[in-house]
Amino acid sequence: MGQLLQFFELGEQTWHGDQRKAEEAWRTMNLIRAFEEKCIELYKQGLMGGSLHSYIGQEAVATGVCMNLNTDDYITISYRGRGQAIAKGADPYKLFAEMLGRKDGYCKGKGGPMHIACRELGILGANGIVGAGIPIAVGAALTAKNKKTGQIALTFFGDGATNQGAFHEALNLAAVLKLPVVFVCENNLYAEMTPIKHSTLNEDLAERGAAYRIPSIVVDGNDVRAVHEATKTAVDRARSGEGPTLIEAKTYRLVGHMFGDPETYRTKEEVAEWRQKEPIKRFRQVCLDEKLLDEDRLDEIQNQIYKEIDTVAKRAMEADQPGMEEIFTDVY
Amino acid sequence: MGQLLQFFELGEQTWHGDQRKAEEAWRTMNLIRAFEEKCIELYKQGLMGGSLHSYIGQEAVATGVCMNLNTDDYITISYRGRGQAIAKGADPYKLFAEMLGRKDGYCKGKGGPMHIACRELGILGANGIVGAGIPIAVGAALTAKNKKTGQIALTFFGDGATNQGAFHEALNLAAVLKLPVVFVCENNLYAEMTPIKHSTLNEDLAERGAAYRIPSIVVDGNDVRAVHEATKTAVDRARSGEGPTLIEAKTYRLVGHMFGDPETYRTKEEVAEWRQKEPIKRFRQVCLDEKLLDEDRLDEIQNQIYKEIDTVAKRAMEADQPGMEEIFTDVY
Amino acid sequence: MSTKRVITYAEAINEALREEMKADPNVILLGEDIGAYGGVFKVTKGLLDEFGSDRVIDTPISETGFTGAGIGAAMTGMKPVVEIMWVDFTLVAMDQILNQAAKMTYMSGGQTKVPLVIRTQGGGGRGNAAQHSQSLETMFAHVPGLKVVVPSTPYDAKGLLKSSIREECPVIFIEHKMLYNQKGEVPSEEYFIPLGQADIKREGKDVTIVSLSRMVHFCLDAARELQNEGIEAEVIDLRTLVPLDLELVKKSVQKTHRLVIVHEATRSYGWGAEVAARIQEEAFDELDAPVLRVGAEDVPIPYNLNLEKEMLPQVRDIVDAARNALYLSV
Amino acid sequence: MSTKRVITYAEAINEALREEMKADPNVILLGEDIGAYGGVFKVTKGLLDEFGSDRVIDTPISETGFTGAGIGAAMTGMKPVVEIMWVDFTLVAMDQILNQAAKMTYMSGGQTKVPLVIRTQGGGGRGNAAQHSQSLETMFAHVPGLKVVVPSTPYDAKGLLKSSIREECPVIFIEHKMLYNQKGEVPSEEYFIPLGQADIKREGKDVTIVSLSRMVHFCLDAARELQNEGIEAEVIDLRTLVPLDLELVKKSVQKTHRLVIVHEATRSYGWGAEVAARIQEEAFDELDAPVLRVGAEDVPIPYNLNLEKEMLPQVRDIVDAARNALYLSV
Ligand SMILES: Cc1ncc(C[n+]2csc(CCOP(=O)(O)OP(=O)(O)O)c2C)c(N)n1
Ligand SMILES: Cc1ncc(C[n+]2csc(CCOP(=O)(O)OP(=O)(O)O)c2C)c(N)n1
Ligand SMILES: [Mg+2]
Ligand SMILES: [Mg+2]
């Protein structure tokens, strides 16, 4: 099984001089961060229902992964899924509107934070049930293979999700049918308040992919370049008909599981340590070190994004509520 | 993960001169075979309801495994579960009575072939749902650990069951909680009419145990001594608090998945080849070669068992039907 | 029907699948042992040979996995027909069915359609015991977002399955194991039966008996017995629980003023309660007697064939209920 | 009650667990985040510290695995209380609940008891959308072999949970997310409430309103509004669906001759239908009006809070139904 498990190492030349990529990554990561921060603000103001599961700290995963995808590639995501939706190209206005339950939201306000979907972007839907989106992505890959469209499917899920039966059944099915699907496990070390190391003996969750004879790659999930490159291999494999790959991206969520989480299950020191390794700060340094983007350009983009997010959020806050007749539509 | 996967090899001295063991194994295997053959007869006569899933060909697994168990150790089994029940000490009369739906049956005729259970023997119950007995055995192991009784739990399931979510969740839970449980996968190469090699890429299903960091052993399931010895390691590990083990016993069912199965999915040659390797014939040769039991003794035991099974089956055929009031008992 | 042709329920379903697969290359099948073996009830016989392994896919034993894959495929342009071998096994895939398939369209605000059919079979009658004999249609009917079809004859099975495959929403199609070999007339011409239309299987004026699946035949037998006593029972086959054709039942009750509901599902909290509740709600003044229900006893299904028979509804129970509804002493 | 003491629903449940764990070393807890964290709804707070990690077991996210383990442990001498965080997630463990726990005793001919409690919580009201707001109690009630408890107050929750843990059969205990912070009187003395006893939460003579869980409070609010119009509603809290205390409902209907049933579960094929069907069956001549039902609309639960509110039963709907049952124009 050994060869099936690979620890990705970043090549020295990765993205060397590729300003376009750097700018794209910087832009997307900041957009996600700004969006998520704004959501917390809105949630605090009581403008949302349900729970809010923030993606802050994991931006490099969504960004690096989705840089490899085409618009018509399919993804499934989870309740913690706005980051990936943004990276796949989702419109922040429609996202905010959905978070706020408004008519202009992607799901007309009927889905909400846990059920973001966007048909035109191949975002098949976010899931509130841990692991449930994994077999659905496998089905999308089945379509792509069957119709020979060259599309692929990719699914994001957490470390905790690998303990669900749905994960097991979906991976085996994909392996046997050799489907064009990429499994991205965002290992942020915790499933709600339980450290993943308390709920599995595997040091690397990628072992679990290898168990189905699926090539599996462990990658530093806080390094956007590494994520991008590792996923590239997987996406290429899928697109060329070689079957599924699993990527385990090691990362960390810098905020609570959901808004209001007192985070009693981890130390302030642990969080502080990870703040040092957080993806946006790290990538800024990379950009400067490798002379990809200079300080001014980085700040300019960032400021512009934060401003844009502000404007867009305001607009969403003014958007209409869905009409009561929407209760009865879209059932069948 | 490498060391977690072990291919069991029979030592030269195994059972050397141990006539008691040989006689026990010979007796149990023949008892199972005779019982199963008689069931087919009864089924043909229309004396049973439902479907009949025969264990013929796999007798060495149940026998070799259960020789390691105490009466108060727990087992869970499947619809193909009379073999293991007999090996655990079940009374053929009560088994026949249950197969025939009679009042004297283990479950008063209410469970039937798919749901054999015997409380006093620790047989927690056979299951009609593929894989569903696995977590239940894990729970029994939890009791044993919690109460520090020194008991262990052991669960039998098929190759196909390893594709179910319940398998995955149960194994991981047992690994994490380090429970005294042994997982016995009887790989008879087929799940109903589908070759296991069409529904997983793993050459050895034991890989799947190793994936949870559970020590996993591949053993020749048609060699009762090998099964016995391999399981011994596992049972000892469990009993001494070292946690779960998975045993993959490679075997073959010599008859159809169920009575009436036309067996179109495999060749006559394949079956004939396995008939050469079938466990009872093989063990007879071992007994002779190793001078454990001589021809006369072997035949004597065998004849006696067949006679006994005949008598017992007749008695069961005459047993009473359960009273109609039984419809309403045992619900809560 | 223009052509007299008698085939079995299993053959009728097989024909529906074949025709729809021919008509639309997006129709694919997923399930256990459905390929070379043709399915344990022989419903998919010959389809692998005709349509190849890209369209008739044998799956590992992983109902959550392949039902989920069916959902994902349906969301992206296929029309999968998933076989879950026994309705009892839907319970290992219930999240995919009830939390995913049923809700996807709504949660996405109508962006995503899930044109998925889940074919399965249920019911008792052959001693398969507690985990292989259930009638679980009510559960699917209770969760909004699914249509629920439970056909009683070869004709209905074919016409309803063809319509189900053309629906844009998930449909649970529950066959009955004791009906597979039952024969009936099925025209060779193509036809469809829309979901949501109950069918009067026998006309009568004295009492209405509402049922579906295998129990329809028991009701017809009961109606014949009742006829001997001069009672004309009207037998209505609901055919689908969602949508529910309550109008036809109401119309019949307006004529007979008496209603008996018969199902093989456990009596308590079964779908019969819904029909009873609706009728007394909407046609209270039409009723000359309480709506009566005949269902399986509230116990798991025992293996012993005598016990099983006794706990499932029998013709005698239906006759008794009808007589009760007419205030005749039983 | 001898002692005036006011605590929350969550605290009452916590007390029940603590007391039963003290009383019987075989009582253990299994679930996600129930240990150090004390459960996402804080129901198991402090129990890990008091009873240790052998008895309060944090599990991986694998409801089938740990529910199954709960069953196996129950069969062998423990009394596990399994927490499934949201009732919506029971759907990933439905086989273990409905095919295993519910049927084990019967299938074994009474050899095996399964003294297992599955605690979970359901209901809408806080914008948790389609997969986190359901009321699925009817499904569990439909499958024989389980008892089903759905408490509405701290007092009931504590007394019923203590009894549930002492049952010899599997019990599904469904809490309501909107009730956890609700306060009520709970005596400090030990007490038990037997399963199967409905409770009159308010006496009245004009119309009977039957409900459970959070809706009981809505019914009481409705009763207060009705009182302003001179209508005295009797509010009955069923407390358990299995066993079902139909006698108390019948007695009330014999007095009021009018019945309204209120539940947060989807209206169609919900438990209200069963109560309606039974009452019209068994007390037909007592009814002066059809039994009316108020339930959630037959759609998945929308995220938007206005839409959610509108599709779930509200006090206004209950008042309207009661007026309807009295043939007063709404
Ligand atoms: C089947 C199921 N069980 C439990 C939950 C409750 N729950 C929501 S998020 C979560 C933790 C998931 O952890 P992980 O997969 O690591 O994802 P992360 O939240 O870290 O992104 C749990 C247990 C659920 N939504 N679904
Ligand atoms: C959840 C579930 N799916 C499908 C079935 C139907 N079924 C019964 S036996 C069987 C094959 C099981 O194969 P395996 O685990 O290898 O055991 P074997 O029959 O070979 O002993 C299948 C698919 C079932 N009983 N339960
Ligand atoms: Mg996580
Ligand atoms: Mg097998």
Side-chain angles (χ1 to χ4, degrees):
Chain A
M1 231 178 298
Q3 321 87 295
L4 290 169
L5 191 60
Q6 190 201 324
F7 293 83
F8 183 83
E9 301 242 357
L10 198 64
E12 287 218 351
Q13 293 303 308
T14 313
W15 289 18
H16 195 72
D18 195 335
Q19 294 189 5
R20 203 194 45 77
K21 273 216 186 78
E23 204 169 302
E24 186 186 343
W26 179 249
R27 199 178 278 285
T28 305
M29 289 202 289
N30 275 284
L31 193 58
I32 297 173
R33 177 70 58 91
F35 182 90
E36 292 291 271
E37 288 176 357
K38 179 61 76 178
C39 281
I40 293 176
E41 255 182 75
L42 300 177
Y43 192 86
K44 275 189 195 160
Q45 291 173 45
L47 293 171
M48 287 183 211
S51 307
L52 181 65
H53 305 89
S54 179
Y55 194 66
I56 290 173
Q58 305 182 201
E59 293 88 348
V61 185
T63 304
V65 165
C66 290
M67 282 172 74
N68 293 289
L69 298 183
N70 302 331
T71 304
D72 67 352
D73 287 330
Y74 298 113
I75 65 170
T76 67
I77 53 185
S78 81
Y79 46 88
R80 202 181 300 292
R82 273 77 53 193
Q84 302 95 332
I86 289 172
K88 191 75 173 46
D91 173 355
Y93 170 68
K94 289 193 184 176
L95 281 178
F96 275 129
E98 191 58 39
M99 301 298 280
L100 297 167
R102 306 305 166 92
K103 190 179 156 183
D104 283 354
Y106 270 115
C107 312
K108 307 185 201 163
K110 291 161 77 170
M114 295 222 254
H115 304 299
I116 300 298
C118 171
R119 201 192 147 108
E120 309 98 74
L121 297 172
I123 304 172
L124 295 178
N127 218 303
I129 307 297
V130 168
I134 310 176
I136 295 174
V138 169
L142 184 63
T143 299
K145 187 180 179 194
N146 201 292
K147 291 185 181 277
K148 301 191 181 60
T149 58
Q151 288 159 288
I152 69 153
L154 185 146
T155 173
F156 292 94
F157 51 89
D159 44 289
T162 67
N163 290 328
Q164 273 285 327
F167 165 85
H168 174 74
E169 298 191 8
L171 266 78
N172 186 54
L173 191 60
V176 169
L177 299 180
K178 219 178 178 186
L179 297 178
V181 55
V182 179
F183 300 102
V184 179
C185 176
E186 303 195 48
N187 185 352
N188 62 9
L189 309 190
Y190 291 89
E192 291 204 339
M193 298 76 190
T194 300
I196 186 67
K197 64 173 188 278
H198 290 180
S199 60
T200 167
L201 302 185
N202 300 99
E203 256 146 71
D204 299 299
L205 296 174
E207 291 177 19
R208 295 216 162 156
Y212 308 95
R213 303 235 166 165
I214 292 175
S216 298
I217 309 172
V218 179
V219 65
D220 178 347
N222 280 13
D223 180 343
V224 68
R225 291 176 307 166
V227 173
H228 175 258
E229 295 302 306
T231 311
K232 191 174 180 324
T233 328
V235 168
D236 290 348
R237 268 180 51 83
R239 236 185 266 290
S240 61
E242 290 169 67
T245 306
L246 181 139
I247 310 269
E248 177 192 0
K250 307 233 192 222
T251 182
Y252 195 78
R253 69 167 151 67
L254 291 171
V255 295
H257 167 70
M258 59 194 175
F259 184 82
D261 172 2
E263 296 180 62
T264 47
Y265 48 88
R266 58 185 188 182
T267 61
K268 289 218 163 48
E269 292 69 43
E270 181 185 297
V271 181
E273 210 173 287
W274 278 96
R275 277 207 181 278
Q276 295 311 312
K277 301 188 269 187
E278 71 104 337
I280 294 183
K281 191 183 275 179
R282 260 179 76 182
F283 189 58
R284 170 184 281 268
Q285 202 55 52
V286 167
C287 286
L288 298 176
D289 290 353
E290 308 243 327
K291 305 205 182 334
L292 284 162
L293 302 167
D294 64 20
E295 196 90 35
D296 285 352
R297 183 72 185 132
L298 290 166
D299 290 344
E300 182 191 22
I301 293 173
Q302 202 167 42
N303 293 336
Q304 182 204 327
I305 284 170
Y306 272 84
K307 233 179 273 166
E308 185 192 317
I309 283 293
D310 244 13
T311 319
V312 163
K314 280 214 189 77
R315 194 150 65 86
M317 287 160 74
E318 283 155 18
D320 286 342
Q321 299 282 341
M324 285 299 169
E325 71 284 358
E326 283 297 344
I327 291 173
F328 301 101
T329 59
D330 310 320
V331 180
Y332 293 102
Chain B
M1 230 180 301
Q3 320 88 296
L4 290 169
L5 190 61
Q6 188 199 326
F7 293 83
F8 183 83
E9 301 242 354
L10 198 64
E12 286 218 350
Q13 293 302 308
T14 313
W15 288 18
H16 194 72
D18 195 335
Q19 294 190 6
R20 203 194 45 76
K21 272 219 187 76
E23 205 170 301
E24 185 186 343
W26 179 249
R27 200 178 277 287
T28 305
M29 288 203 290
N30 275 284
L31 193 58
I32 297 172
R33 176 70 58 91
F35 182 90
E36 290 291 271
E37 288 176 356
K38 180 60 78 180
C39 281
I40 293 175
E41 256 180 73
L42 300 177
Y43 193 87
K44 275 190 194 160
Q45 291 172 47
L47 293 170
M48 287 182 212
S51 306
L52 182 66
H53 304 90
S54 179
Y55 195 65
I56 290 174
Q58 306 181 202
E59 294 88 347
V61 185
T63 304
V65 165
C66 290
M67 283 173 74
N68 294 288
L69 299 183
N70 301 332
T71 304
D72 66 352
D73 287 330
Y74 298 114
I75 65 170
T76 67
I77 53 185
S78 81
Y79 46 88
R80 201 182 300 291
R82 275 76 53 191
Q84 303 95 330
I86 288 173
K88 191 78 174 46
D91 174 355
Y93 170 69
K94 289 192 183 176
L95 281 179
F96 275 129
E98 191 58 38
M99 300 299 279
L100 297 167
R102 305 306 166 89
K103 188 179 156 181
D104 283 354
Y106 271 113
C107 312
K108 307 186 200 162
K110 291 160 77 169
M114 295 222 254
H115 304 298
I116 301 296
C118 171
R119 202 192 146 109
E120 307 100 74
L121 297 171
I123 305 172
L124 295 179
N127 218 303
I129 306 298
V130 168
I134 310 176
I136 295 175
V138 169
L142 184 64
T143 299
K145 188 182 179 194
N146 201 292
K147 291 185 181 279
K148 301 191 180 59
T149 58
Q151 289 160 287
I152 69 151
L154 185 147
T155 173
F156 292 94
F157 51 88
D159 44 288
T162 66
N163 290 327
Q164 274 284 326
F167 165 87
H168 174 73
E169 298 190 8
L171 266 78
N172 185 56
L173 191 60
V176 169
L177 299 179
K178 220 178 176 186
L179 297 178
V181 55
V182 180
F183 301 102
V184 179
C185 176
E186 303 195 48
N187 184 353
N188 62 9
L189 310 190
Y190 293 89
E192 290 204 340
M193 298 75 189
T194 300
I196 186 67
K197 64 172 187 277
H198 291 180
S199 60
T200 166
L201 302 185
N202 300 99
E203 254 146 72
D204 300 300
L205 296 173
E207 291 176 19
R208 294 216 164 158
Y212 308 96
R213 303 241 167 160
I214 292 176
S216 299
I217 309 172
V218 179
V219 65
D220 178 347
N222 279 14
D223 180 343
V224 69
R225 292 177 304 167
V227 173
H228 175 258
E229 296 302 307
T231 311
K232 192 172 178 331
T233 328
V235 168
D236 290 349
R237 267 180 52 83
R239 237 185 266 289
S240 61
E242 291 169 68
T245 306
L246 181 140
I247 310 268
E248 177 191 0
K250 306 231 191 224
T251 183
Y252 195 77
R253 69 168 149 67
L254 291 170
V255 295
H257 167 69
M258 60 193 176
F259 184 82
D261 172 1
E263 296 181 63
T264 46
Y265 49 88
R266 58 186 189 182
T267 62
K268 289 216 162 51
E269 291 70 43
E270 181 185 299
V271 181
E273 210 172 286
W274 278 95
R275 277 209 180 278
Q276 294 311 311
K277 302 188 270 187
E278 72 104 337
I280 295 185
K281 190 183 274 179
R282 259 177 77 180
F283 189 58
R284 170 183 279 270
Q285 202 53 54
V286 167
C287 287
L288 298 176
D289 290 354
E290 309 245 326
K291 304 208 184 332
L292 283 162
L293 301 168
D294 65 19
E295 195 89 37
D296 285 352
R297 184 70 187 132
L298 289 165
D299 290 344
E300 184 190 22
I301 293 173
Q302 199 167 44
N303 293 335
Q304 184 204 327
I305 282 170
Y306 273 83
K307 234 180 271 163
E308 186 192 317
I309 282 293
D310 244 13
T311 319
V312 163
K314 280 214 190 75
R315 193 147 66 85
M317 285 160 74
E318 284 154 18
D320 287 343
Q321 299 282 340
M324 285 299 169
E325 71 283 359
E326 284 295 345
I327 290 172
F328 301 100
T329 60
D330 310 320
V331 180
Y332 294 103
Chain C
M1 287 180 231
S2 52
T3 342
K4 289 240 185 273
R5 198 175 61 114
V6 170
I7 61 174
T8 67
Y9 186 85
E11 286 163 350
I13 298 166
N14 181 275
E15 280 191 4
L17 292 172
R18 175 173 283 115
E19 288 178 17
E20 291 306 300
M21 291 183 81
K22 268 193 196 155
D24 184 349
N26 292 322
V27 177
I28 57 171
L29 310 185
L30 288 159
E32 294 159 11
D33 304 314
I34 62 169
Y37 194 73
V40 290
F41 296 98
K42 293 289 159 214
V43 169
T44 53
K45 206 171 141 183
L47 300 178
L48 175 71
D49 284 348
E50 192 166 341
F51 299 102
S53 60
D54 278 355
R55 294 185 63 196
V56 181
I57 302 170
D58 266 330
T59 62
I61 313 178
S62 44
E63 286 79 1
T64 288
F66 66 78
T67 303
I71 294 168
M75 289 167 74
T76 50
M78 309 304 291
K79 287 178 156 286
V81 181
V82 164
E83 175 175 308
I84 295 186
M85 206 186 282
W86 301 60
V87 74
D88 315 76
F89 312 160
T90 59
L91 297 180
V92 299
M94 219 51 165
D95 175 66
Q96 287 294 332
I97 302 172
L98 300 184
N99 277 336
Q100 311 304 329
K103 297 175 173 38
M104 207 52 90
T105 300
Y106 199 82
M107 294 189 305
S108 71
Q111 291 180 86
T112 320
K113 293 286 179 186
V114 186
L116 169 76
V117 176
I118 298 178
R119 281 187 45 245
T120 183
Q121 61 75 33
R126 46 183 304 265
N128 288 109
Q131 293 175 338
H132 284 73
S133 308
Q134 294 170 90
S135 295
L136 300 178
E137 61 275 11
T138 312
M139 294 205 178
F140 301 107
H142 182 45
V143 174
L146 303 169
K147 296 194 176 172
V148 182
V149 184
V150 203
S152 70
T153 67
Y155 178 79
D156 287 354
K158 181 172 177 185
L160 289 165
L161 182 53
K162 283 174 64 77
S163 296
S164 298
I165 295 172
R166 299 203 179 191
E167 287 281 334
E168 285 200 290
C169 67
V171 177
I172 309 293
F173 190 92
I174 308 178
E175 301 156 17
H176 196 296
K177 57 174 72 60
M178 301 299 282
L179 294 179
Y180 282 126
N181 294 324
Q182 190 141 333
K183 291 186 173 173
E185 275 185 27
V186 174
S188 30
E189 291 75 23
E190 184 173 40
Y191 66 98
F192 294 84
I193 301 173
L195 309 196
Q197 291 189 1
D199 185 41
I200 300 179
K201 286 281 193 289
R202 181 192 196 279
E203 291 199 24
K205 60 175 185 15
D206 298 324
V207 56
T208 304
I209 306 181
V210 167
S211 189
L212 48 67
S213 190
R214 186 182 187 211
M215 282 299 128
V216 169
H217 303 284
F218 283 43
C219 292
L220 290 170
D221 285 349
R224 276 184 284 272
E225 283 194 28
L226 289 163
Q227 191 173 32
N228 294 337
E229 306 180 27
I231 300 168
E232 291 300 334
E234 178 143 307
V235 177
I236 295 182
D237 181 354
L238 288 177
R239 301 203 288 204
T240 65
L241 281 182
V242 181
L244 176 65
D245 185 2
L246 202 79
E247 287 314 307
L248 195 73
V249 181
K250 256 196 276 184
K251 248 170 70 181
S252 178
V253 169
Q254 277 157 8
K255 176 169 66 175
T256 64
H257 308 292
R258 288 150 206 284
L259 176 59
V260 173
I261 302 160
V262 182
H263 57 58
E264 208 181 308
T266 305
R267 193 179 129 104
S268 287
Y269 304 98
W271 60 260
E274 178 67 22
V275 176
R278 289 282 299 274
I279 287 297
Q280 67 84 38
E281 246 165 73
E282 300 176 28
F284 190 68
D285 295 329
E286 297 289 347
L287 288 171
D288 286 348
V291 180
L292 298 182
R293 289 178 296 153
V294 178
E297 300 291 352
D298 291 339
V299 304
I301 294 160
Y303 165 65
N304 177 285
L305 285 163
N306 305 331
L307 266 53
E308 184 193 25
K309 192 166 179 183
E310 181 70 18
M311 69 77 68
L312 293 177
Q314 297 301 324
V315 173
R316 188 196 59 219
D317 303 315
I318 303 168
V319 170
D320 287 353
R323 290 177 53 86
N324 265 332
L326 285 151
Y327 293 118
L328 300 169
S329 65
V330 180
Chain D
M1 287 179 231
S2 51
T3 343
K4 289 240 183 277
R5 198 176 60 114
V6 169
I7 61 175
T8 67
Y9 187 85
E11 285 163 352
I13 298 167
N14 180 275
E15 280 192 5
L17 292 172
R18 175 174 283 114
E19 287 179 19
E20 292 306 299
M21 290 183 82
K22 267 193 195 153
D24 184 349
N26 292 321
V27 177
I28 57 170
L29 310 186
L30 288 158
E32 295 158 11
D33 305 313
I34 63 168
Y37 194 74
V40 289
F41 297 98
K42 293 288 156 212
V43 168
T44 54
K45 208 172 141 182
L47 300 177
L48 174 72
D49 284 347
E50 190 165 342
F51 300 101
S53 60
D54 278 355
R55 294 184 64 195
V56 180
I57 303 170
D58 266 329
T59 62
I61 312 179
S62 44
E63 286 80 1
T64 288
F66 67 77
T67 303
I71 295 169
M75 290 167 72
T76 50
M78 308 305 291
K79 288 178 156 286
V81 181
V82 164
E83 175 175 309
I84 296 187
M85 205 185 281
W86 300 61
V87 75
D88 316 77
F89 312 159
T90 61
L91 297 180
V92 299
M94 219 51 166
D95 175 67
Q96 288 294 332
I97 302 172
L98 300 184
N99 277 334
Q100 311 303 329
K103 298 175 174 38
M104 207 51 90
T105 300
Y106 198 82
M107 295 190 305
S108 72
Q111 292 178 86
T112 321
K113 295 284 180 188
V114 186
L116 169 76
V117 176
I118 298 177
R119 281 187 46 245
T120 182
Q121 61 74 33
R126 46 184 304 266
N128 289 110
Q131 293 175 337
H132 284 72
S133 308
Q134 294 170 88
S135 295
L136 299 177
E137 60 274 14
T138 311
M139 295 205 176
F140 301 107
H142 182 45
V143 174
L146 303 170
K147 296 194 176 172
V148 181
V149 184
V150 203
S152 69
T153 66
Y155 178 79
D156 287 354
K158 181 173 178 185
L160 289 165
L161 182 53
K162 283 175 63 76
S163 297
S164 297
I165 294 172
R166 299 203 178 190
E167 288 280 333
E168 284 201 290
C169 67
V171 177
I172 310 293
F173 190 92
I174 308 177
E175 301 157 15
H176 197 296
K177 58 175 72 59
M178 302 299 282
L179 293 179
Y180 282 126
N181 294 324
Q182 189 141 333
K183 291 187 173 174
E185 275 186 25
V186 174
S188 31
E189 291 75 23
E190 183 172 41
Y191 67 98
F192 293 83
I193 301 174
L195 310 196
Q197 291 189 1
D199 184 42
I200 299 179
K201 287 280 192 291
R202 180 190 197 282
E203 292 200 24
K205 60 175 184 16
D206 299 324
V207 56
T208 303
I209 306 182
V210 167
S211 189
L212 48 67
S213 190
R214 186 184 187 209
M215 283 298 127
V216 169
H217 303 283
F218 283 44
C219 293
L220 290 170
D221 285 349
R224 276 183 284 273
E225 283 196 26
L226 289 163
Q227 192 174 27
N228 294 337
E229 308 179 26
I231 300 167
E232 292 298 336
E234 178 143 305
V235 177
I236 295 182
D237 181 353
L238 288 177
R239 300 203 287 204
T240 67
L241 281 183
V242 181
L244 176 65
D245 186 1
L246 202 78
E247 287 315 305
L248 195 73
V249 180
K250 255 196 278 186
K251 248 171 69 183
S252 178
V253 169
Q254 277 157 11
K255 176 169 65 175
T256 63
H257 309 293
R258 288 149 206 284
L259 176 59
V260 173
I261 302 159
V262 182
H263 57 58
E264 209 182 307
T266 304
R267 194 179 127 103
S268 287
Y269 304 100
W271 62 260
E274 178 68 21
V275 176
R278 289 281 300 274
I279 288 297
Q280 66 83 37
E281 246 166 75
E282 299 176 29
F284 191 66
D285 295 329
E286 297 289 348
L287 288 171
D288 286 347
V291 181
L292 299 182
R293 291 179 293 154
V294 178
E297 301 291 352
D298 291 339
V299 303
I301 293 160
Y303 165 66
N304 177 285
L305 285 162
N306 305 330
L307 266 52
E308 183 193 26
K309 192 166 179 184
E310 181 70 18
M311 71 76 69
L312 294 177
Q314 298 301 324
V315 174
R316 186 198 61 220
D317 304 314
I318 304 168
V319 171
D320 287 352
R323 291 177 53 86
N324 265 333
L326 285 152
Y327 293 118
L328 301 169
S329 64
V330 177

